[in-house]
Amino acid sequence: MTDRLYYHDSFLYDFDAEVHSVLETPRPGLVLDRTAFYPTSGGQIHDTGSIAGVEDAGAKVRVTEVVDTEDGHVVHYLEAPLKDIKPGSRVRGEIDASRRRDHMQQHSAQHVLSAAFVRLFNIPTVSFHMADDYCSIDLDTPSLTQNQIESAERLANEIVLENRVVDIRFVTRDEAEKLGLRKLPPAERDQLRLVDIRDFDLTACGGTHVAHTGQIASVLLRKSEKVRHGYRVEFVAGQRAVATARRDFSTLTETAALFSANIYDVPQQARKSLDEIKSLRKQREQSLEELAAAQAEALLAEIPEKNGRKLVVRTFSDRDLNFLKLLAQKLTRQSSAAVALLATTSPQAALVFAQSPGQPYDMAALLKQAMTTLGGRGGGSKDIAQGGVQNSEGVAAALAAAAESLTL
Ligand SMILES: [Zn+2]
């Protein structure tokens, strides 16, 4: 079993050790007799840093990942093999201190936050997840309000401000059962490591923690979402909280500049803009409807009847499919004997063929024929059919050919 130095001192960033075994495949790695490197476990992600041979102090190799093995060892995976190192060699390990400090801030913040949810609302934490840029806890509760989130955040930050001592101690399982821990692990271990935030939280945990809650610096709760068995609450602590607030502020500032508004007026401005868009969209629809009606009337007036029918053949360069459909509807409703063969070449080439109810042709068949020459997809019914075309070239010719094939 590897002697875990971090159990007793989370602020130990340098240590000496003896090599227990050397791994070569699939990745180079080292098992030491003792280590200050924290392996990924209990929701907390592993440390990084470097290991160097004591004899050859110049050769330093990066530790990229640290994992627990089932038999109680800690494996340090290395970026490259460490030269001339074999079982029994002396090495020196160095932890990436800023990453470790960040992990301590996040993990201790989690304990404070989980305890705050229990104290205020009797909501237990069922799991903890630490990612590279945020953390989350899963709460066992059927509901969670914004008010509860903000209250827990406030209490957590009060505990930070009070700078309470965080003690680490080891007890037997029997002792632990009498202490009323917030969380008792299911493992059948004889000895439990307790993290004691003075007069606030006592729980069993193997993670690395701050020595005083003031070192957490700040706790900021962010997204909360319903998950299968409760609610997931994301949070950031310490420098992460500052970095996140900085990013939020930059985003908000950029958005506010778009509205030429104060950042606190952004929601109101955004709402106003969305309302405007909605109303403009409505106005546009109405205008298009009126335009289509007027255009249909003009077309029907200018086109002469042939055998009692009016054949409208038009290619537009600046209308969309919706307008073509609208125009086709107007033409075939305003006249009881209209046949409309409409096309547009831009922004997206499309065809709409329509006839007034009772006319004898088959618009779907006519469109299908046009599509075989143009290439594209479409369909419809006897009275109205539509299709999109990949290439606008040949649209006008296809329309003329379709008109030609109708015997009026
Ligand atoms: Zn913990």
Side-chain angles (χ1 to χ4, degrees):
M1 295 252 288
T2 309
D3 182 13
R4 292 157 198 256
L5 303 171
Y6 60 82
Y7 271 170
H8 308 279
D9 186 359
S10 294
F11 292 84
L12 180 68
Y13 302 134
D14 299 279
F15 67 100
D16 286 333
E18 188 182 299
V19 173
H20 175 277
S21 52
V22 179
L23 276 71
E24 280 159 7
T25 51
R27 288 185 279 166
L30 286 180
V31 175
L32 311 175
D33 64 338
R34 52 190 225 143
T35 189
F37 279 93
Y38 186 83
T40 296
S41 52
Q44 183 180 330
I45 44 182
H46 64 86
D47 285 318
T48 58
S50 63
I51 293 179
V54 168
E55 270 88 69
D56 182 12
K60 216 190 223 182
V61 171
R62 269 200 69 72
V63 174
T64 52
E65 195 184 352
V66 187
V67 301
D68 261 325
T69 65
E70 274 175 21
D71 56 355
H73 288 304
V74 174
V75 181
H76 308 75
Y77 285 110
L78 306 174
E79 201 171 51
L82 201 51
K83 255 202 301 181
D84 303 328
I85 290 293
K86 49 189 184 298
S89 300
R90 301 293 302 172
V91 292
R92 178 162 296 150
E94 203 183 315
I95 311 286
D96 178 338
S98 63
R99 180 175 162 104
R100 163 63 69 81
R101 270 195 291 268
D102 169 61
H103 292 177
M104 288 194 283
Q105 287 181 318
Q106 311 311 315
H107 199 153
S108 297
Q110 181 260 309
H111 284 216
V112 172
L113 195 57
S114 291
F117 273 111
V118 170
R119 292 221 168 198
L120 293 172
F121 311 111
N122 203 23
I123 296 175
T125 295
V126 289
S127 66
F128 164 49
H129 172 72
M130 184 191 289
D132 281 330
D133 51 357
Y134 73 95
C135 298
S136 66
I137 49 174
D138 282 4
L139 298 171
D140 183 8
T141 175
S143 66
L144 188 68
T145 65
Q146 189 57 30
N147 225 333
Q148 287 177 312
I149 289 172
E150 286 173 25
S151 301
E153 182 184 69
R154 198 173 311 118
L155 176 55
N157 281 295
E158 275 164 22
I159 298 301
V160 169
L161 202 63
E162 285 163 12
N163 202 23
R164 296 188 185 217
V165 170
V166 181
D167 263 331
I168 303 291
R169 62 178 198 270
F170 292 83
V171 296
T172 64
R173 195 170 175 89
D174 287 347
E175 284 172 305
E177 274 166 13
K178 288 176 210 138
L179 286 171
L181 304 188
R182 176 166 56 76
K183 204 173 175 187
L184 196 61
E188 329 64 46
R189 271 182 237 140
D190 313 333
Q191 263 227 324
L192 288 180
R193 182 177 184 261
L194 302 187
V195 177
D196 186 352
I197 299 173
R198 188 168 291 168
D199 299 330
F200 188 68
D201 185 48
L202 184 62
T203 194
C205 174
T208 55
H209 287 274
V210 298
H212 294 86
T213 56
Q215 291 166 322
I216 296 170
S218 58
V219 186
L220 176 67
L221 269 58
R222 288 168 55 80
K223 199 169 93 179
S224 74
E225 60 178 339
K226 183 103 188 69
V227 289
R228 216 143 62 96
H229 297 297
Y231 274 82
R232 178 162 301 160
V233 177
E234 288 182 10
F235 70 93
V236 278
Q239 285 294 348
R240 283 192 196 199
V242 177
T244 305
R246 167 61 50 203
R247 202 164 62 229
D248 290 354
F249 181 73
S250 301
T251 307
L252 208 46
T253 302
E254 201 181 314
T255 313
L258 294 175
F259 291 115
S260 307
N262 183 290
I263 57 164
Y264 299 113
D265 295 332
V266 164
Q268 193 199 337
Q269 289 290 339
R271 216 171 289 125
K272 205 174 121 194
S273 291
L274 287 174
D275 285 346
E276 268 172 32
I277 290 168
K278 223 169 165 182
S279 137
L280 285 171
R281 206 170 269 160
K282 223 171 174 175
Q283 278 178 35
R284 183 175 176 274
E285 264 167 39
Q286 176 137 26
S287 300
L288 282 175
E289 183 101 26
E290 283 170 16
L291 179 65
Q295 206 154 19
E297 202 179 318
L299 284 167
L300 290 170
E302 95 189 29
I303 289 166
E305 266 184 22
K306 194 175 170 193
N307 295 333
R309 291 195 186 95
K310 290 198 177 195
L311 176 61
V312 182
V313 183
R314 275 286 183 285
T315 300
F316 298 89
S317 59
D318 56 355
R319 295 288 174 202
D320 62 7
L321 177 63
N322 276 334
F323 183 79
L324 291 193
K325 282 195 310 200
L326 209 54
L327 181 59
Q329 276 169 10
K330 300 290 177 199
L331 285 165
T332 55
R333 277 179 206 161
Q334 287 173 21
S335 160
S336 60
V339 178
L341 306 182
L342 309 175
T344 181
T345 54
S346 172
Q348 178 67 52
L351 305 179
V352 173
F353 292 174
Q355 66 181 359
S356 304
Q359 292 300 315
Y361 308 108
D362 184 344
M363 294 296 122
L366 196 63
L367 184 92
K368 201 174 159 194
Q369 203 172 11
M371 284 295 167
T372 42
T373 38
L374 286 173
R377 296 162 64 97
S381 63
K382 181 176 172 291
D383 285 343
I384 185 161
Q386 65 181 70
V389 182
Q390 288 300 330
N391 198 334
S392 60
E393 274 171 50
V395 162
L399 224 56
E404 196 71 25
S405 73
L406 296 175
T407 45
L408 293 178

